[in-house]
Coordinates of all heavy atoms in Angstrom, one line a residue:
Chain E
T207 N 25.6 -37.0 -0.1 CA 26.6 -38.1 -0.3 C 27.6 -37.8 -1.4 O 28.3 -38.5 -1.8 CB 25.9 -39.4 -0.7 OG1 25.1 -39.3 -1.9 CG2 25.0 -39.9 0.4
T208 N 27.5 -36.5 -1.9 CA 28.6 -36.1 -2.9 C 29.3 -34.9 -2.3 O 28.6 -34.1 -1.5 CB 27.9 -35.7 -4.3 OG1 27.1 -34.6 -4.1 CG2 27.2 -37.0 -4.8
V209 N 30.5 -34.6 -2.8 CA 31.2 -33.3 -2.4 C 30.3 -32.2 -2.8 O 30.2 -31.2 -2.0 CB 32.5 -33.3 -3.1 CG1 33.2 -31.9 -2.7 CG2 33.4 -34.5 -2.6
M210 N 29.7 -32.3 -4.0 CA 28.9 -31.1 -4.5 C 27.8 -30.8 -3.6 O 27.6 -29.6 -3.2 CB 28.4 -31.5 -5.9 CG 27.5 -30.4 -6.5 SD 28.2 -28.8 -6.7 CE 29.3 -29.1 -8.1
A211 N 27.1 -31.8 -3.2 CA 26.0 -31.6 -2.3 C 26.4 -31.2 -0.9 O 25.7 -30.4 -0.2 CB 25.1 -32.8 -2.2
Q212 N 27.5 -31.7 -0.4 CA 28.0 -31.4 0.9 C 28.5 -30.0 1.0 O 28.3 -29.4 2.1 CB 29.1 -32.4 1.3 CG 28.5 -33.8 1.5 CD 29.6 -34.9 1.6 OE1 30.8 -34.7 1.4 NE2 29.1 -36.1 1.9
V213 N 29.1 -29.5 0.0 CA 29.7 -28.1 0.1 C 28.8 -27.1 -0.4 O 29.1 -25.9 -0.2 CB 31.1 -28.0 -0.5 CG1 32.0 -29.0 0.0 CG2 31.0 -28.1 -2.1
D214 N 27.7 -27.5 -1.2 CA 26.9 -26.4 -1.9 C 25.5 -26.6 -1.5 O 24.9 -25.8 -0.8 CB 27.2 -26.5 -3.3 CG 26.4 -25.4 -4.1 OD1 26.1 -24.3 -3.5 OD2 26.0 -25.6 -5.2
S215 N 24.9 -27.6 -2.1 CA 23.4 -27.6 -2.1 C 22.9 -28.0 -0.6 O 21.6 -27.6 -0.3 CB 22.8 -28.5 -3.1 OG 23.5 -29.8 -3.0
S216 N 23.7 -28.5 0.3 CA 23.3 -28.7 1.6 C 23.1 -27.5 2.4 O 22.4 -27.6 3.5 CB 24.3 -29.7 2.3 OG 25.5 -29.0 2.6
V217 N 23.6 -26.3 2.0 CA 23.5 -25.1 2.8 C 22.7 -24.1 2.1 O 23.0 -23.8 0.9 CB 24.9 -24.5 3.0 CG1 24.9 -23.4 4.1 CG2 25.9 -25.6 3.5
G218 N 21.7 -23.6 2.7 CA 21.0 -22.4 2.2 C 19.6 -22.5 1.8 O 19.0 -21.5 1.4
G219 N 19.1 -23.8 1.7 CA 17.7 -23.9 1.4 C 17.2 -23.7 -0.1 O 15.9 -23.6 -0.3
K220 N 18.0 -23.6 -1.0 CA 17.6 -23.5 -2.4 C 17.1 -24.9 -2.8 O 17.9 -25.9 -2.7 CB 18.7 -23.0 -3.3 CG 18.9 -21.6 -3.2 CD 19.7 -21.2 -4.5 CE 19.9 -19.6 -4.5 NZ 20.8 -19.2 -5.5
T221 N 15.9 -25.1 -3.2 CA 15.4 -26.3 -3.7 C 14.7 -26.1 -5.0 O 14.4 -24.9 -5.4 CB 14.3 -26.9 -2.8 OG1 13.2 -26.1 -2.8 CG2 14.8 -26.9 -1.3
G222 N 14.5 -27.1 -5.8 CA 13.8 -26.9 -7.0 C 14.1 -28.0 -8.0 O 14.8 -28.9 -7.9
I223 N 13.5 -27.8 -9.2 CA 13.7 -28.7 -10.4 C 14.0 -27.8 -11.7 O 13.9 -26.6 -11.6 CB 12.4 -29.5 -10.7 CG1 11.2 -28.6 -10.9 CG2 12.2 -30.5 -9.5 CD1 9.9 -29.3 -11.3
N224 N 14.4 -28.5 -12.7 CA 14.8 -27.8 -13.9 C 13.6 -27.8 -14.8 O 12.6 -28.5 -14.7 CB 15.9 -28.6 -14.7 CG 17.2 -28.7 -13.9 OD1 17.5 -27.8 -13.1 ND2 17.9 -29.8 -14.0
H225 N 13.5 -26.8 -15.8 CA 12.6 -26.7 -16.8 C 13.4 -27.0 -18.2 O 14.6 -26.7 -18.1 CB 12.0 -25.3 -16.8 CG 10.9 -25.1 -17.8 ND1 11.1 -24.7 -19.1 CD2 9.6 -25.3 -17.7 CE1 9.9 -24.7 -19.8 NE2 9.0 -25.0 -19.0
R226 N 12.7 -27.4 -19.1 CA 13.5 -27.7 -20.4 C 14.3 -26.6 -20.8 O 15.2 -26.7 -21.6 CB 12.6 -28.3 -21.4 CG 11.5 -27.4 -21.9 CD 10.5 -28.0 -22.9 NE 9.3 -27.3 -22.9 CZ 9.1 -26.2 -23.4 NH1 10.0 -25.5 -24.1 NH2 7.9 -25.5 -23.4
L227 N 13.9 -25.3 -20.5 CA 14.5 -24.2 -21.0 C 15.5 -23.6 -20.0 O 16.2 -22.6 -20.3 CB 13.5 -23.1 -21.3 CG 12.5 -23.4 -22.4 CD1 11.5 -22.3 -22.7 CD2 13.4 -23.6 -23.8
G228 N 15.7 -24.2 -18.8 CA 16.7 -23.7 -17.9 C 16.7 -24.4 -16.7 O 15.7 -25.0 -16.2
K229 N 17.8 -24.3 -15.9 CA 18.0 -25.0 -14.7 C 17.3 -24.3 -13.4 O 17.4 -23.0 -13.4 CB 19.5 -25.1 -14.3 CG 20.3 -26.2 -15.0 CD 21.6 -26.3 -14.7 CE 21.9 -26.5 -13.3 NZ 22.3 -27.8 -12.9
N230 N 16.8 -25.0 -12.6 CA 16.3 -24.5 -11.3 C 15.3 -23.4 -11.4 O 15.3 -22.6 -10.6 CB 17.5 -24.1 -10.4 CG 18.4 -25.3 -10.1 OD1 17.9 -26.4 -9.9 ND2 19.7 -25.0 -10.1
L231 N 14.5 -23.4 -12.4 CA 13.7 -22.3 -12.7 C 12.3 -22.5 -11.8 O 11.7 -21.5 -11.7 CB 13.2 -22.2 -14.2 CG 14.5 -21.9 -15.1 CD1 13.9 -21.7 -16.5 CD2 15.1 -20.5 -14.7
I232 N 12.1 -23.6 -11.3 CA 10.9 -23.8 -10.5 C 11.4 -24.4 -9.2 O 12.1 -25.4 -9.1 CB 10.0 -24.9 -11.2 CG1 9.5 -24.4 -12.6 CG2 8.8 -25.2 -10.4 CD1 9.0 -25.5 -13.5
G233 N 11.0 -23.7 -8.0 CA 11.5 -24.3 -6.7 C 11.0 -23.4 -5.6 O 10.1 -22.6 -5.7
A234 N 11.7 -23.5 -4.5 CA 11.4 -22.8 -3.3 C 12.6 -22.5 -2.5 O 13.5 -23.3 -2.6 CB 10.3 -23.5 -2.5
F235 N 12.6 -21.5 -1.6 CA 13.6 -21.5 -0.5 C 12.9 -22.2 0.6 O 11.9 -21.8 1.1 CB 13.8 -20.0 -0.1 CG 14.6 -19.2 -1.1 CD1 14.0 -18.3 -2.1 CD2 16.0 -19.3 -1.2 CE1 14.7 -17.6 -3.0 CE2 16.7 -18.5 -2.1 CZ 16.0 -17.7 -3.0
Y236 N 13.7 -23.2 1.1 CA 13.1 -24.1 2.1 C 14.2 -24.6 3.0 O 15.1 -25.4 2.4 CB 12.2 -25.2 1.4 CG 11.2 -25.8 2.4 CD1 10.2 -25.0 3.0 CD2 11.3 -27.1 2.9 CE1 9.2 -25.6 3.8 CE2 10.5 -27.7 3.8 CZ 9.4 -26.9 4.2 OH 8.5 -27.4 5.1
Q237 N 14.2 -24.5 4.2 CA 15.4 -24.9 5.1 C 15.1 -26.2 5.7 O 14.0 -26.5 6.1 CB 15.6 -23.8 6.2 CG 15.8 -22.4 5.7 CD 17.1 -22.3 4.7 OE1 17.9 -23.1 4.7 NE2 17.0 -21.2 4.0
P238 N 16.2 -27.0 5.8 CA 16.0 -28.4 6.5 C 16.1 -28.2 8.0 O 16.5 -27.1 8.5 CB 17.2 -29.2 5.9 CG 18.3 -28.1 5.7 CD 17.5 -26.8 5.3
Q239 N 15.7 -29.3 8.7 CA 15.8 -29.4 10.1 C 17.4 -29.6 10.4 O 17.7 -29.1 11.5 CB 15.0 -30.5 10.7 CG 13.7 -30.1 11.1 CD 12.8 -29.6 10.0 OE1 12.7 -30.1 8.9 NE2 12.2 -28.4 10.3
C240 N 18.0 -30.3 9.7 CA 19.5 -30.5 9.9 C 20.1 -31.1 8.6 O 19.4 -31.5 7.7 CB 19.8 -31.4 11.1 SG 19.5 -33.2 10.7
V241 N 21.4 -31.0 8.5 CA 22.1 -31.6 7.4 C 23.1 -32.6 8.0 O 23.9 -32.2 9.0 CB 22.9 -30.7 6.6 CG1 23.6 -31.3 5.5 CG2 21.9 -29.6 5.9
L242 N 23.2 -33.8 7.6 CA 24.1 -34.7 8.2 C 25.2 -35.2 7.2 O 24.7 -35.8 6.1 CB 23.4 -35.9 8.8 CG 24.3 -36.9 9.5 CD1 23.7 -37.4 10.8 CD2 24.7 -38.2 8.6
I243 N 26.4 -34.8 7.3 CA 27.4 -35.2 6.3 C 28.4 -36.1 6.8 O 29.2 -35.8 7.7 CB 28.2 -33.9 5.8 CG1 27.3 -32.9 5.2 CG2 29.4 -34.2 4.9 CD1 28.0 -31.5 4.9
D244 N 28.1 -37.4 6.4 CA 29.1 -38.5 6.8 C 30.1 -38.6 5.7 O 29.8 -39.0 4.6 CB 28.2 -39.8 7.0 CG 29.1 -40.9 7.6 OD1 30.4 -40.9 7.3 OD2 28.5 -41.8 8.1
T245 N 31.3 -38.2 6.1 CA 32.4 -38.1 5.0 C 32.7 -39.5 4.5 O 33.3 -39.6 3.5 CB 33.6 -37.4 5.6 OG1 34.0 -38.0 6.9 CG2 33.4 -35.9 5.8
D246 N 32.4 -40.5 5.2 CA 32.7 -41.9 4.8 C 31.9 -42.1 3.5 O 32.3 -43.0 2.7 CB 32.3 -42.9 5.8 CG 33.0 -42.9 7.0 OD1 34.0 -42.0 7.0 OD2 32.7 -43.6 8.0
T247 N 30.9 -41.4 3.2 CA 30.1 -41.7 1.9 C 30.9 -41.3 0.7 O 30.6 -41.7 -0.4 CB 28.8 -40.9 2.0 OG1 29.0 -39.5 2.0 CG2 27.8 -41.3 3.0
L248 N 32.0 -40.5 0.9 CA 32.8 -40.1 -0.2 C 33.6 -41.3 -0.8 O 34.1 -41.3 -1.9 CB 33.7 -38.9 0.1 CG 33.0 -37.6 0.6 CD1 33.9 -36.6 0.8 CD2 32.0 -37.2 -0.5
N249 N 33.8 -42.3 0.1 CA 34.5 -43.5 -0.3 C 34.0 -44.2 -1.6 O 34.7 -44.8 -2.3 CB 34.6 -44.5 0.8 CG 35.4 -44.0 2.0 OD1 36.2 -43.0 1.9 ND2 35.1 -44.6 3.2
T250 N 32.7 -44.0 -1.8 CA 32.1 -44.6 -2.9 C 31.8 -43.7 -4.1 O 31.3 -44.0 -5.1 CB 30.7 -45.3 -2.6 OG1 30.0 -44.3 -1.9 CG2 30.9 -46.4 -1.5
L251 N 32.4 -42.5 -4.0 CA 32.1 -41.4 -5.0 C 33.1 -41.5 -6.2 O 34.3 -41.6 -6.0 CB 32.2 -40.0 -4.4 CG 31.6 -38.9 -5.1 CD1 30.1 -39.0 -5.3 CD2 31.9 -37.5 -4.5
P252 N 32.6 -41.6 -7.5 CA 33.5 -41.6 -8.6 C 34.4 -40.4 -8.6 O 34.0 -39.3 -8.2 CB 32.5 -41.7 -9.8 CG 31.3 -42.1 -9.3 CD 31.2 -41.7 -7.8
D253 N 35.5 -40.6 -9.2 CA 36.6 -39.5 -9.3 C 35.9 -38.2 -10.0 O 36.2 -37.1 -9.5 CB 37.7 -39.9 -10.3 CG 38.6 -40.9 -9.4 OD1 38.5 -41.1 -8.2 OD2 39.5 -41.6 -10.1
R254 N 35.1 -38.4 -11.1 CA 34.7 -37.3 -11.7 C 33.7 -36.4 -10.8 O 33.7 -35.2 -10.9 CB 33.9 -37.7 -13.0 CG 34.5 -37.1 -14.2 CD 33.7 -37.6 -15.4 NE 32.8 -36.5 -16.0 CZ 31.9 -36.7 -16.9 NH1 31.7 -37.9 -17.4 NH2 31.1 -35.7 -17.2
E255 N 32.9 -37.2 -10.0 CA 32.0 -36.6 -9.1 C 32.7 -35.8 -8.0 O 32.3 -34.7 -7.6 CB 31.1 -37.7 -8.5 CG 30.1 -38.3 -9.4 CD 28.8 -37.5 -9.5 OE1 28.6 -36.4 -8.8 OE2 27.9 -38.0 -10.3
L256 N 33.8 -36.4 -7.6 CA 34.6 -35.8 -6.6 C 35.2 -34.5 -7.1 O 35.1 -33.5 -6.3 CB 35.8 -36.7 -6.2 CG 36.4 -36.4 -4.9 CD1 35.9 -37.3 -3.7 CD2 37.9 -36.7 -5.0
A257 N 35.8 -34.5 -8.2 CA 36.3 -33.3 -8.8 C 35.3 -32.2 -9.0 O 35.5 -31.1 -8.7 CB 37.1 -33.6 -10.1
S258 N 34.1 -32.7 -9.5 CA 33.0 -31.7 -9.7 C 32.7 -30.9 -8.5 O 32.6 -29.7 -8.5 CB 31.7 -32.5 -10.2 OG 30.6 -31.7 -10.3
G259 N 32.7 -31.5 -7.4 CA 32.4 -30.8 -6.1 C 33.5 -29.8 -5.8 O 33.2 -28.7 -5.2
L260 N 34.7 -30.2 -6.1 CA 35.9 -29.2 -5.8 C 35.7 -27.9 -6.6 O 36.3 -26.9 -6.1 CB 37.1 -30.0 -6.2 CG 37.6 -31.1 -5.3 CD1 38.9 -31.8 -5.7 CD2 37.7 -30.6 -3.9
A261 N 35.0 -27.8 -7.7 CA 34.8 -26.6 -8.4 C 34.1 -25.6 -7.4 O 34.5 -24.4 -7.4 CB 33.9 -26.8 -9.6
E262 N 33.2 -26.1 -6.7 CA 32.4 -25.2 -5.7 C 33.4 -24.8 -4.5 O 33.4 -23.7 -4.0 CB 31.2 -25.8 -5.2 CG 30.2 -26.2 -6.2 CD 29.4 -25.0 -6.8 OE1 29.6 -23.9 -6.3 OE2 28.6 -25.2 -7.7
V263 N 34.2 -25.7 -4.1 CA 35.2 -25.4 -3.0 C 36.1 -24.3 -3.5 O 36.4 -23.4 -2.7 CB 36.0 -26.7 -2.7 CG1 37.1 -26.4 -1.6 CG2 35.0 -27.8 -2.1
I264 N 36.6 -24.5 -4.7 CA 37.5 -23.5 -5.2 C 36.8 -22.1 -5.3 O 37.4 -21.1 -5.0 CB 38.0 -23.9 -6.6 CG1 39.0 -25.2 -6.5 CG2 38.7 -22.8 -7.4 CD1 39.2 -25.9 -7.7
K265 N 35.6 -22.1 -5.7 CA 34.8 -20.9 -5.7 C 34.8 -20.1 -4.5 O 35.0 -18.9 -4.5 CB 33.3 -21.3 -6.1 CG 32.4 -20.1 -6.1 CD 31.0 -20.6 -6.1 CE 30.6 -21.2 -4.7 NZ 29.2 -21.7 -4.7
Y266 N 34.6 -20.8 -3.3 CA 34.6 -20.1 -2.0 C 35.8 -19.3 -1.8 O 35.8 -18.1 -1.3 CB 34.3 -21.0 -0.8 CG 32.9 -21.6 -0.8 CD1 32.8 -23.0 -1.0 CD2 31.8 -20.8 -0.7 CE1 31.6 -23.6 -1.1 CE2 30.5 -21.4 -0.7 CZ 30.4 -22.8 -0.9 OH 29.1 -23.3 -0.9
G267 N 36.9 -19.9 -2.2 CA 38.3 -19.2 -2.0 C 38.3 -18.0 -2.9 O 38.6 -16.9 -2.4
L268 N 37.9 -18.1 -4.1 CA 37.9 -17.0 -5.1 C 37.1 -15.8 -4.7 O 37.5 -14.7 -4.8 CB 37.6 -17.5 -6.4 CG 38.7 -18.3 -7.2 CD1 38.1 -18.9 -8.4 CD2 39.9 -17.5 -7.4
I269 N 35.8 -16.1 -4.2 CA 34.9 -14.9 -4.1 C 35.1 -14.3 -2.7 O 34.7 -13.1 -2.5 CB 33.4 -15.3 -4.1 CG1 33.0 -16.4 -3.1 CG2 33.2 -15.8 -5.6 CD1 31.5 -16.7 -3.1
R270 N 35.6 -15.0 -1.6 CA 35.7 -14.4 -0.3 C 36.7 -14.9 0.7 O 36.7 -14.5 1.8 CB 34.2 -14.4 0.3 CG 33.8 -15.9 0.7 CD 32.3 -16.0 1.0 NE 31.9 -15.0 2.0 CZ 31.9 -15.1 3.2 NH1 32.4 -16.1 3.9 NH2 31.5 -14.1 4.1
D271 N 37.5 -15.8 0.3 CA 38.3 -16.5 1.3 C 39.7 -16.8 0.8 O 40.0 -18.0 0.5 CB 37.5 -17.7 1.9 CG 38.2 -18.3 3.1 OD1 39.3 -17.9 3.5 OD2 37.5 -19.1 3.8
A272 N 40.5 -15.8 0.6 CA 41.8 -16.0 0.0 C 42.7 -17.0 0.7 O 43.3 -18.0 0.1 CB 42.6 -14.7 -0.1
P273 N 42.7 -17.0 2.1 CA 43.5 -18.0 2.9 C 43.0 -19.4 2.5 O 43.8 -20.4 2.5 CB 43.2 -17.8 4.3 CG 42.8 -16.3 4.3 CD 42.1 -16.0 3.1
F274 N 41.7 -19.6 2.3 CA 41.1 -21.0 2.0 C 41.6 -21.3 0.6 O 42.1 -22.5 0.3 CB 39.6 -20.9 2.1 CG 38.9 -22.3 1.9 CD1 39.5 -23.5 2.2 CD2 37.7 -22.3 1.3 CE1 38.9 -24.7 2.1 CE2 37.0 -23.5 1.1 CZ 37.7 -24.7 1.6
F275 N 41.7 -20.4 -0.4 CA 42.2 -20.7 -1.7 C 43.7 -21.1 -1.6 O 44.1 -22.1 -2.3 CB 42.0 -19.5 -2.6 CG 42.4 -19.7 -4.0 CD1 41.4 -20.3 -4.9 CD2 43.7 -19.4 -4.5 CE1 41.7 -20.5 -6.2 CE2 43.9 -19.7 -5.9 CZ 43.0 -20.3 -6.7
E276 N 44.4 -20.4 -0.8 CA 45.9 -20.7 -0.7 C 46.0 -22.1 -0.1 O 46.9 -22.9 -0.5 CB 46.5 -19.6 0.2 CG 46.8 -18.3 -0.6 CD 46.9 -17.1 0.3 OE1 46.9 -17.2 1.6 OE2 46.8 -16.0 -0.3
W277 N 45.1 -22.5 1.0 CA 45.2 -23.8 1.5 C 44.9 -24.8 0.4 O 45.5 -25.9 0.4 CB 44.1 -23.8 2.6 CG 44.0 -25.2 3.3 CD1 44.7 -25.6 4.3 CD2 43.2 -26.3 2.8 NE1 44.2 -27.0 4.5 CE2 43.4 -27.4 3.6 CE3 42.2 -26.4 1.7 CZ2 42.7 -28.6 3.5 CZ3 41.6 -27.7 1.6 CH2 41.8 -28.7 2.5
Q278 N 44.0 -24.5 -0.4 CA 43.6 -25.5 -1.5 C 44.9 -25.6 -2.5 O 45.1 -26.8 -2.9 CB 42.4 -24.9 -2.3 CG 41.1 -25.0 -1.5 CD 40.0 -24.2 -2.3 OE1 40.1 -24.1 -3.5 NE2 39.2 -23.5 -1.5
E279 N 45.5 -24.5 -2.7 CA 46.6 -24.7 -3.7 C 47.7 -25.6 -3.1 O 48.3 -26.4 -3.7 CB 47.3 -23.3 -4.0 CG 46.4 -22.4 -4.7 CD 47.0 -21.0 -5.1 OE1 47.5 -20.4 -4.1 OE2 47.0 -20.6 -6.2
K280 N 47.9 -25.6 -1.7 CA 48.8 -26.4 -1.1 C 48.3 -27.8 -0.9 O 49.1 -28.8 -0.7 CB 49.1 -25.9 0.3 CG 50.0 -24.6 0.4 CD 50.3 -24.2 1.8 CE 50.6 -22.8 1.8 NZ 50.4 -22.1 3.0
N281 N 47.0 -28.1 -0.8 CA 46.4 -29.4 -0.4 C 45.6 -30.0 -1.5 O 45.0 -31.0 -1.2 CB 45.6 -29.2 0.8 CG 46.4 -28.8 2.1 OD1 47.0 -29.7 2.7 ND2 46.5 -27.5 2.4
M282 N 45.7 -29.5 -2.7 CA 44.9 -30.1 -3.8 C 45.3 -31.6 -4.0 O 44.5 -32.4 -4.2 CB 45.0 -29.3 -5.1 CG 44.0 -29.7 -6.2 SD 42.3 -29.9 -5.6 CE 41.8 -28.1 -5.6
H283 N 46.6 -31.8 -3.9 CA 47.0 -33.2 -4.0 C 46.4 -34.1 -3.0 O 46.0 -35.3 -3.2 CB 48.6 -33.3 -3.9 CG 49.1 -32.8 -2.6 ND1 49.2 -31.4 -2.2 CD2 49.5 -33.4 -1.5 CE1 49.6 -31.4 -1.0 NE2 49.8 -32.5 -0.5
A284 N 46.2 -33.6 -1.7 CA 45.7 -34.4 -0.7 C 44.1 -34.7 -0.9 O 43.5 -35.7 -0.8 CB 45.8 -33.7 0.6
L285 N 43.5 -33.6 -1.5 CA 42.0 -33.8 -1.8 C 41.9 -34.8 -3.0 O 41.0 -35.6 -2.9 CB 41.5 -32.4 -2.2 CG 41.3 -31.3 -1.1 CD1 41.0 -30.0 -1.6 CD2 40.3 -31.8 0.0
M286 N 42.8 -34.7 -4.0 CA 42.7 -35.6 -5.1 C 43.0 -37.1 -4.6 O 42.5 -38.0 -5.3 CB 43.6 -35.2 -6.3 CG 43.2 -33.8 -6.9 SD 41.5 -33.7 -7.5 CE 41.6 -34.8 -9.0
A287 N 43.7 -37.1 -3.6 CA 44.1 -38.5 -3.1 C 43.0 -38.9 -2.0 O 43.2 -40.0 -1.3 CB 45.5 -38.5 -2.5
R288 N 42.1 -38.2 -1.9 CA 40.9 -38.5 -1.0 C 41.3 -38.6 0.4 O 40.7 -39.3 1.2 CB 40.2 -39.8 -1.4 CG 39.5 -39.7 -2.8 CD 39.0 -41.1 -3.2 NE 38.4 -40.9 -4.5 CZ 37.1 -41.0 -4.8 NH1 36.2 -41.3 -3.8 NH2 36.7 -40.9 -6.0
D289 N 42.2 -37.8 0.9 CA 42.5 -37.7 2.2 C 41.4 -37.2 3.1 O 40.8 -36.1 2.8 CB 43.8 -36.6 2.4 CG 44.2 -36.4 3.8 OD1 43.3 -36.3 4.8 OD2 45.4 -36.5 4.1
P290 N 40.9 -38.0 3.9 CA 39.6 -37.7 4.6 C 39.7 -36.6 5.5 O 38.7 -35.8 5.6 CB 39.4 -39.1 5.5 CG 40.6 -39.8 5.5 CD 41.4 -39.4 4.4
D291 N 40.8 -36.2 6.0 CA 40.9 -35.1 6.9 C 41.0 -33.8 6.1 O 40.3 -32.8 6.4 CB 42.1 -35.3 7.8 CG 42.0 -36.4 8.7 OD1 40.9 -36.6 9.3 OD2 42.9 -37.2 8.7
A292 N 41.6 -33.9 5.0 CA 41.7 -32.7 4.0 C 40.2 -32.5 3.6 O 39.7 -31.3 3.5 CB 42.5 -33.0 2.8
F293 N 39.4 -33.6 3.3 CA 38.0 -33.3 2.8 C 37.2 -32.8 4.0 O 36.3 -31.9 3.7 CB 37.5 -34.6 2.3 CG 37.4 -34.6 0.8 CD1 38.3 -35.3 0.0 CD2 36.6 -33.7 0.1 CE1 38.3 -35.2 -1.4 CE2 36.5 -33.6 -1.2 CZ 37.4 -34.4 -2.0
A294 N 37.4 -33.3 5.2 CA 36.6 -32.8 6.2 C 36.7 -31.3 6.4 O 35.9 -30.6 6.7 CB 36.9 -33.6 7.6

Side-chain angles (χ1 to χ4, degrees):
Chain E
T207 58
T208 65
V209 177
M210 177 59 72
Q212 291 169 353
V213 302
D214 181 31
S215 43
S216 69
V217 190
K220 279 194 182 178
T221 70
I223 56 173
N224 300 328
H225 185 274
R226 66 187 154 75
L227 294 178
K229 276 180 62 104
N230 298 322
L231 295 181
I232 300 165
F235 287 99
Y236 200 67
Q237 305 298 340
Q239 266 59 50
C240 76
V241 177
L242 186 140
I243 299 176
D244 186 335
T245 51
D246 293 356
T247 57
L248 298 185
N249 295 337
T250 51
L251 195 66
D253 287 344
R254 237 182 105 188
E255 291 272 359
L256 195 98
S258 171
L260 290 175
E262 300 284 356
V263 175
I264 291 164
K265 172 196 76 181
Y266 293 114
L268 286 174
I269 62 169
R270 69 191 310 273
D271 193 345
F274 187 33
F275 187 84
E276 286 156 7
W277 177 90
Q278 293 165 32
E279 290 182 313
K280 287 182 202 150
N281 291 279
M282 189 51 75
H283 60 284
L285 292 170
M286 295 305 285
R288 295 175 183 246
D289 178 315
D291 300 312
F293 256 106

